[in-house]
Amino acid sequence: MSMSEQLELVSATKSFGGWVKRYKHYSRALDCDMIFTIYLPPQAEEGRVPLMWWLSGLTCNDENFMQKAGAQKTAAELGIAIVCPDTSPRGLDLPGEHDSYDFGSGAGFYLNAKREPWSKHYRMYDYVTEELPSVVRLHFPVNGRESISGHSMGGHGALVLALRQPGRYAAVSAFAPIVNPIQVPWGQKAFENYLGDDVGLRTQYDACELVAKGSSRQPLFIDQGEADNFLEEQLKPERLEAVCEEHDHPLTLRRHPGYDHSYFFIASFIDEHLRYHAERLYAKR
Amino acid sequence: MSMSEQLELVSATKSFGGWVKRYKHYSRALDCDMIFTIYLPPQAEEGRVPLMWWLSGLTCNDENFMQKAGAQKTAAELGIAIVCPDTSPRGLDLPGEHDSYDFGSGAGFYLNAKREPWSKHYRMYDYVTEELPSVVRLHFPVNGRESISGHSMGGHGALVLALRQPGRYAAVSAFAPIVNPIQVPWGQKAFENYLGDDVGLRTQYDACELVAKGSSRQPLFIDQGEADNFLEEQLKPERLEAVCEEHDHPLTLRRHPGYDHSYFFIASFIDEHLRYHAERLYAKR
């Protein structure tokens, strides 16, 4: 095994008959050590299982979803593994890396950076689409069927990864995603610093632009809380709705009165997402 | 309203059709400001609902259970409110109060302290059995039916409060409780400092001693993980098992291979506890 394929077990905790396990490994794509969390349902002890990727939002790491979303019960029932990558490279001290919550550490935006000093390490797109999937397939009993979901910045990640890789994921869904990052403050700050001025490059990481380009027909399933503090300035689901309408792209967008941007919102609807994913992960091809 | 009956809303977050709400209030029993969390199920908008008290363990506050136990889904289904008090007085700076994780702040042990300087503030028994219940009954649509559960130090609290107040709670259960604090390091350190040398007083806060005294016939329902790091030194469920056997006290003690002391363990079995509580909270009297 090469260095990047070696895993060090950080912790293993039994959960709903399966296991929440954290592993540390050296990432070649990011050139630093990374930790990820995997939930292995009880069915993984008997055979290979499908896998849902979960991409977390700003300030999160690999742990928040497993601790707060309450997904394991239904994942155990449905026999789905879940992998939560971290949200950025770690253990570096690049200039300004830790200065703000919405850029640098905890805020990798699931892209490959082009600008110095970020471009050597901030390659989360490659990490999450290539390197980590290889590691997971090598070490765990997964069956090759994958789907993807995420929250906020991670919802952006889930949509972009699915739209850019047609046929890769059996299902994609998102909670309160940043659907049009090139037009909102979070995305503009991150893209300016990671990607620079190249408009063509920026649009490759923008779900609305990808839908407009028509590169994939992947149906999108999105839940959005109407009491979300970031709804109007950062999330703007109406933009994705309009572009999907214009380009006849299949979208299910549910708006939930009273729900905010927190994990209490995610927990309230994660079971429905897991069942949506399971139906497609287990569908006959 | 007196000062101790005024509530200040800290936050309100929608969860499974109900609301997780945090409130700040001045506690007369503890002589400091306290925050508690309540989950109000959707049924509380239509009428009065029964209430389960949740007592948390060492280092926790009022938030951990709501964020990590995943109880709201089933509480919403069953129509049960849940109140999580904090685990000690807050905002004080008594000498040594913040020096260790297992004594002082975050470690009130649900007792009324007798020794200085703790006795003026560390009166969690009165706070949780009298003052906070009055506040809750005054401000929220609860129907007077109550049950109690808790984890570790909070499991100790749940057992002791139920055994000392026969008939008060429709049900009592615990996760990995400290069942015999007067005989284990956590309890001995806390009781020595809070209560002093009075053996008679100490035994009033010890579930094994209370069962031996026969003051209540309340059935006890306990889950314990067998991979719990604190099992042998601090928890010792076999002692409660022996004393219940000897005194013919009804006990259901389930041992779960592989489960540890974490909230992943609690989340795995909380639904069964909620259903156990609901059956008794809704039973005809």
Side-chain angles (χ1 to χ4, degrees):
Chain A
M1 275 186 218
S2 76
M3 205 163 93
S4 76
E5 288 160 348
Q6 289 171 0
L7 295 186
E8 176 192 331
L9 183 66
V10 175
S11 65
T13 312
K14 201 165 181 182
S15 171
F16 288 99
W19 292 88
V20 173
K21 296 188 176 185
R22 298 186 78 204
Y23 289 94
K24 188 173 181 175
H25 72 129
Y26 170 75
S27 163
R28 205 160 13 195
L30 310 176
D31 194 16
C32 64
D33 284 340
M34 293 291 286
I35 294 178
F36 67 89
T37 295
I38 185 169
Y39 178 66
L40 290 164
Q43 294 86 341
E45 288 177 23
E46 315 270 301
R48 295 184 174 273
V49 295
L51 163 65
M52 184 184 88
W53 293 91
W54 174 267
L55 305 184
S56 286
L58 291 169
T59 77
C60 288
N61 66 12
D62 62 296
E63 294 196 283
N64 308 63
F65 179 79
M66 289 295 177
Q67 293 181 347
K68 296 185 171 180
Q72 292 95 309
K73 183 178 192 180
T74 300
E77 178 204 320
L78 299 171
I80 297 176
I82 302 172
V83 174
C84 301
D86 205 341
T87 55
S88 76
R90 298 288 180 179
L92 311 168
D93 279 306
L94 304 177
E97 189 183 15
H98 313 306
D99 290 354
S100 54
Y101 81 99
D102 56 1
F103 181 76
S105 52
F109 274 84
Y110 306 101
L111 51 73
N112 291 332
K114 290 291 175 192
R115 287 186 65 184
E116 293 292 336
W118 314 105
S119 53
K120 281 204 192 65
H121 299 284
Y122 276 68
R123 304 185 59 80
M124 289 296 289
Y125 186 89
D126 283 354
Y127 178 66
V128 172
T129 61
E130 293 176 19
E131 186 179 18
L132 192 53
S134 299
V135 169
V136 168
R137 282 180 214 124
L138 185 66
H139 289 279
F140 303 99
V142 290
N143 69 8
R145 292 286 278 173
E146 298 181 15
S147 68
I148 192 162
S149 186
H151 172 232
S152 195
M153 176 184 75
H156 143 75
L159 297 176
V160 164
L161 267 58
L163 290 166
R164 284 180 60 157
Q165 303 173 93
R168 164 76 183 268
Y169 303 105
V172 56
S173 73
F175 292 82
I178 306 169
V179 297
N180 195 189
I182 64 173
Q183 300 288 352
V184 304
W186 276 343
Q188 287 171 333
K189 176 178 176 181
F191 286 16
E192 173 64 30
N193 285 285
Y194 290 136
L195 301 175
D197 295 331
D198 184 338
V199 174
L201 183 59
R202 289 190 186 199
T203 58
Q204 292 174 34
Y205 294 108
D206 185 291
C208 284
E209 295 288 333
L210 291 166
V211 166
K213 209 164 67 178
S215 47
S216 163
R217 300 292 307 152
Q218 178 103 47
L220 310 176
F221 175 37
I222 294 174
D223 275 326
Q224 174 64 57
E226 290 188 341
D228 188 321
N229 283 333
F230 304 108
L231 183 55
E232 288 181 26
E233 192 184 2
Q234 307 281 7
L235 305 176
K236 299 185 181 291
E238 66 280 3
R239 296 203 176 181
L240 184 65
E241 203 165 37
V243 74
C244 284
E245 173 76 22
E246 189 187 341
H247 296 270
D248 199 26
H249 191 108
L251 166 70
T252 304
L253 170 62
R254 308 191 307 179
R255 291 180 166 87
H256 301 281
Y259 285 91
D260 69 7
H261 200 66
S262 72
Y263 266 95
F264 289 119
F265 163 57
I266 298 171
S268 297
F269 298 101
I270 191 67
D271 280 3
E272 291 177 61
H273 284 242
L274 287 164
R275 292 185 196 286
Y276 175 89
H277 286 246
E279 217 172 277
R280 286 150 186 84
L281 286 165
Y282 283 110
K284 289 220 175 70
R285 278 172 289 186
Chain B
M1 275 185 217
S2 77
M3 204 161 93
S4 76
E5 289 160 347
Q6 289 172 357
L7 295 186
E8 176 193 332
L9 183 66
V10 176
S11 66
T13 312
K14 200 165 181 181
S15 171
F16 288 99
W19 292 88
V20 173
K21 296 187 175 186
R22 299 187 76 204
Y23 289 94
K24 190 172 180 174
H25 72 129
Y26 170 75
S27 162
R28 204 161 13 196
L30 309 177
D31 194 16
C32 63
D33 283 342
M34 293 291 286
I35 294 178
F36 67 90
T37 294
I38 185 168
Y39 178 66
L40 290 164
Q43 294 85 344
E45 288 177 23
E46 315 269 303
R48 295 185 174 273
V49 295
L51 164 65
M52 184 183 88
W53 293 90
W54 174 266
L55 305 184
S56 286
L58 291 169
T59 77
C60 288
N61 64 13
D62 62 296
E63 294 197 284
N64 308 64
F65 179 80
M66 289 295 177
Q67 293 181 347
K68 296 186 172 179
Q72 292 94 310
K73 183 178 192 180
T74 299
E77 178 202 322
L78 300 170
I80 298 176
I82 302 173
V83 174
C84 302
D86 206 340
T87 56
S88 75
R90 297 289 180 178
L92 311 167
D93 279 306
L94 304 177
E97 189 183 14
H98 313 306
D99 290 355
S100 53
Y101 81 98
D102 56 1
F103 180 76
S105 52
F109 274 85
Y110 306 101
L111 52 74
N112 291 333
K114 290 291 176 191
R115 287 186 64 184
E116 294 294 337
W118 315 104
S119 53
K120 281 201 192 68
H121 298 284
Y122 277 68
R123 303 185 60 80
M124 289 296 290
Y125 186 89
D126 283 354
Y127 177 66
V128 172
T129 61
E130 293 175 20
E131 186 179 17
L132 192 53
S134 299
V135 169
V136 168
R137 282 179 215 123
L138 186 66
H139 289 278
F140 303 99
V142 290
N143 68 8
R145 293 285 281 173
E146 298 181 15
S147 67
I148 191 163
S149 187
H151 173 232
S152 195
M153 176 184 74
H156 142 76
L159 297 176
V160 164
L161 267 56
L163 290 167
R164 284 179 60 158
Q165 302 173 93
R168 164 77 183 267
Y169 304 104
V172 56
S173 72
F175 293 82
I178 306 169
V179 298
N180 195 190
I182 65 174
Q183 300 288 352
V184 304
W186 277 341
Q188 288 171 333
K189 175 178 176 181
F191 286 16
E192 173 64 31
N193 285 285
Y194 291 135
L195 301 175
D197 295 332
D198 184 339
V199 174
L201 183 59
R202 288 190 186 200
T203 58
Q204 291 174 36
Y205 294 108
D206 184 291
C208 284
E209 295 288 331
L210 291 166
V211 166
K213 211 164 66 178
S215 47
S216 164
R217 300 292 306 152
Q218 179 103 46
L220 310 176
F221 175 37
I222 294 174
D223 275 327
Q224 174 64 56
E226 290 188 340
D228 188 321
N229 284 335
F230 303 109
L231 182 56
E232 288 182 27
E233 193 184 1
Q234 306 281 6
L235 305 176
K236 299 184 182 291
E238 66 281 2
R239 298 203 176 179
L240 184 64
E241 203 165 37
V243 73
C244 284
E245 173 76 23
E246 189 187 342
H247 294 271
D248 200 27
H249 192 108
L251 167 70
T252 303
L253 170 61
R254 309 191 304 180
R255 291 180 167 87
H256 301 280
Y259 286 90
D260 70 7
H261 200 65
S262 72
Y263 267 94
F264 289 120
F265 163 57
I266 298 171
S268 297
F269 299 100
I270 191 69
D271 280 4
E272 293 178 59
H273 284 242
L274 287 164
R275 291 184 196 287
Y276 175 89
H277 285 246
E279 218 172 277
R280 287 152 186 83
L281 286 165
Y282 283 110
K284 289 218 176 71
R285 278 172 289 187

